[in-house]
Structures are given as structure tokens and as C-alpha cells.
């Protein structure tokens, strides 16, 4: 099978995936799949959770970083908030701008690398959802947190969602190590994960098939413990006030698939 050869090839090349993999990852079938993968109802429920934690008034400014194709930004804007969404993907930002124009949404969509952009505005809340928090090594994560914290007003909250925290990944490593296939509409995605223990990152090798066309992508997630993330946030004045396992606000425990971290700017 061609896809199996690709996966095996990718597996041997895993260590060679560069730290800036995200610069050209989000394009083509890849972007199309992620728009199909998350049901609208899930986004609405997550936004309900976000707003219950932010505790803001309509019209206040929220930062969505990185915003992807803008599912949270759009829903927040529809509920009366001013949103700035930043993402490196030209595909995602172009699609988001089309929605902003057609629906007259109060969103500023910015295509930029979140590590190098100069953010000059101040925000009353910020979110980093959908595993994006582990895209970088520790030094770059520090730079990212510093950038976000510097544009948050005192008392505002930064909410992070990730399935890549060590306490989620490591107890379930056998599950992550198995090859899996998912289908979303007319797109099939084959996934193979490999954990690199010496550097604490998970490499995911993906093969997409759509109407006979195949694309391959690989990405790298650095895996941090919850306490490492909390210490990193604390360095820049962000005190973690809650760690949930779901939007229902149950306490996060080892083995839970997701964590929602709520940190407050002091």
C-alpha cells in the first residue's frame, strides 16, 4: 500500500521534522479536513465555556491565537465581542476573511507567525485552543507566553486547551502508537504517531486521501507536564486558577484526554 510506505518512510524521518514545521503545514486537504472535523455544536459549547470563564461584557476585545479557520473567533463575534484572530496559514486567514465579509463580523484576521508578530493592542481575554500550545520547544513557548501576557489587561484570563499535556499522552501512549484511520465526508486520514522520549515530543504522520488524490503531512508536538505549563505561565504574571478535563469543568486528572487551563493575569 502506497500510504503504508509513506507512513513507514515518515516514521524513519521523524527526527528530521524541523521545529518550524507549522510554517507550511496548514494548507491543501489538511485545512479542508480540519474545517470538517469539528461539529458546529462542539464549537458553540466551547464558546459557552470560554465566556463563562472570561466573564466579559459584549464589545470587549478577545485574542484568538492561533485562530485556525476561525471557528471560535466567528462564534465569539456573533455573540457581540470584538475579536482579533492571528494565524500563520494563508488558507485559513483567507477563508476567515471571506466569512467576515459575507457575514459582517467584528473580527480582525491577521496572517502572521505568532512568535514574531508585534501585538500592539490590549485584550480582555485570550484563547489558545485545539492543541496549538505544544507546537514549539520550551524557549519558543516562553516567547509565545510572553507575547500573549504583554497584551493582556490586569485581571483578564488566558485559556488554553490541549490534548498534548504529558499527563494525557503518557498514560495513553499505547493508544496513540496504533495506526488509525478517520473519515470526514470525502476525506480519509491515516494517522501514525511516534513518541520521542529523549526530547519529549510526539510526531504525527498523516496521509490524506480525497477523490484519488493523496497528500502527506507531518507535525511535531512538544509534550510538557501540567506543572511545567503552569510555571511557564507564572513567569509572565499568569496564575493558573483552574485545570479542567472538559468544558463541564471537572477537575483534570492523569489520563484525561484533554485539559482546559484557565490562567489569570495578575
Amino acid at each position: 500500500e502506497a500510504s503504508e510506505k509513506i507512513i513507514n518512510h515518515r516514521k524513519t524521518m521523524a527526527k528530521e521534522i524541523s521545529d518550524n514545521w507549522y510554517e507550511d503545514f496548514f494548507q491543501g486537504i489538511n485545512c479542508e479536513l480540519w474545517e470538517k472535523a469539528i461539529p458546529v455544536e462542539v464549537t458553540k459549547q466551547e464558546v459557552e465555556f470560554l465566556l463563562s470563564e472570561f466573564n466579559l461584557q459584549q464589545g470587549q476585545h478577545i485574542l484568538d491565537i492561533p485562530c485556525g479557520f476561525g471557528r471560535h473567533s466567528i462564534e465569539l463575534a456573533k455573540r457581540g465581542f470584538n475579536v482579533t484572530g492571528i494565524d500563520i496559514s494563508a488558507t485559513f486567514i483567507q477563508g476567515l476573511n471571506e466569512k467576515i465579509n459575507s457575514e459582517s463580523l467584528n473580527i480582525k484576521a491577521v496572517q502572521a507567525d505568532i512568535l514574531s508578530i508585534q501585538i500592539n493592542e490590549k485584550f480582555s481575554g485570550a484563547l489558545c485552543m485545539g492543541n496549538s500550545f505544544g507546537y514549539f520547544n520550551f524557549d519558543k513557548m516562553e516567547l509565545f507566553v510572553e507575547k500573549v501576557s504583554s497584551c493582556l489587561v490586569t485581571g483578564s484570563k488566558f485559556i488554553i486547551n490541549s490534548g498534548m499535556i504529558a499527563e494525557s499522552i503518557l498514560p495513553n501512549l499505547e493508544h496513540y502508537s496504533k495506526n488509525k484511520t478517520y473519515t470526514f465526508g470525502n476525506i480519509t486520514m491515516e494517522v501514525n504517531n511516534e513518541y520521542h522520549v529523549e526530547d519529549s515530543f510526539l510526531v504525527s504522520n498523516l496521509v490524506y486521501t480525497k477523490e484519488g488524490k493523496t497528500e502527506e503531512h507531518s507535525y511535531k508536538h512538544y509534550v510538557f507536564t501540567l506543572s511545567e505549563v503552569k510555571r511557564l505561565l507564572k513567569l509572565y504574571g499568569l496564575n493558573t486558577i483552574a485545570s479542567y478535563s472538559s468544558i463541564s469543568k471537572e477537575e483534570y486528572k492523569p489520563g484525561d484526554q484533554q485539559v482546559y487551563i484557565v490562567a489569570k493575569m495578575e
Side-chain angles (χ1 to χ4, degrees), residues 186-239:
N186 60 348
I187 302 173
T188 299
M189 175 176 72
E190 295 177 54
V191 185
N192 167 266
N193 296 307
E194 185 179 11
Y195 187 72
H196 292 259
V197 68
E198 69 279 7
D199 295 306
S200 298
F201 62 74
L202 187 78
V203 169
S204 296
N205 306 301
L206 312 174
V207 179
Y208 299 114
T209 306
K210 179 190 174 186
E211 296 163 2
K213 181 186 174 187
T214 296
E215 275 184 20
E216 52 171 311
H217 297 268
S218 294
Y219 65 91
K220 179 191 292 187
H221 261 106
Y222 282 90
V223 176
F224 304 106
T225 65
L226 180 58
S227 68
E228 280 181 305
V229 175
K230 288 166 72 172
R231 285 196 296 273
L232 174 57
L233 294 170
K234 180 88 169 169
L235 278 176
Y236 296 98
L238 286 155
N239 287 326

Side-chain angles (χ1 to χ4, degrees), residues 105-119:
L105 297 168
N106 206 346
I107 301 171
K108 181 165 81 171
V110 182
Q111 186 202 345
D113 186 332
I114 60 178
L115 293 178
S116 58
I117 186 174
Q118 188 68 40
I119 307 172

Side-chain angles (χ1 to χ4, degrees), residues 6-7 41 61 92 108 206 224 249:
I6 292 170
I7 285 178
E41 195 52 43
H61 289 249
F92 279 155
K108 181 165 81 171
L206 312 174
F224 304 106
K249 303 191 182 184

Side-chain angles (χ1 to χ4, degrees), residues 130-131 160-176 180 182 202 244-247 250-260:
N131 293 340
I160 300 160
N161 162 238
S162 179
M164 292 289 166
I165 297 296
E167 287 87 349
S168 290
I169 292 286
L170 299 182
N172 299 307
L173 203 52
E174 189 177 339
H175 165 78
Y176 284 97
K180 293 184 176 58
Y182 304 91
L202 187 78
Y244 304 122
S245 64
S246 73
I247 56 174
E250 292 97 350
E251 186 182 350
Y252 177 72
K253 304 182 301 300
D256 287 337
Q257 288 193 332
Q258 298 277 325
V259 67
Y260 291 82

Side-chain angles (χ1 to χ4, degrees), residues 1 4 25 30 34 45 67 76 85 87 89 99 103 113 122 128 187 189 193 206 209-210 224 254 257 263:
E1 293 249 345
E4 192 173 331
F25 179 79
N30 203 9
W34 291 116
Q45 289 168 357
C67 64
L76 286 164
D87 201 278
S89 169
K99 293 187 182 80
E103 300 180 43
D113 186 332
K122 286 288 185 181
C128 177
I187 302 173
M189 175 176 72
N193 296 307
L206 312 174
T209 306
K210 179 190 174 186
F224 304 106
Q257 288 193 332

Side-chain angles (χ1 to χ4, degrees), residues 101-152:
N101 294 331
S102 65
E103 300 180 43
S104 300
L105 297 168
N106 206 346
I107 301 171
K108 181 165 81 171
V110 182
Q111 186 202 345
D113 186 332
I114 60 178
L115 293 178
S116 58
I117 186 174
Q118 188 68 40
I119 307 172
N120 297 316
E121 296 173 68
K122 286 288 185 181
F123 297 92
S124 300
L127 56 136
C128 177
M129 302 287 282
N131 293 340
S132 308
F133 195 78
Y135 284 176
F136 318 120
N137 63 27
F138 192 85
D139 291 345
K140 289 182 176 178
M141 287 305 308
E142 198 171 338
L143 176 60
F144 172 60
V145 171
E146 183 181 15
K147 279 190 178 291
V148 173
S149 67
S150 68
C151 64
L152 287 175

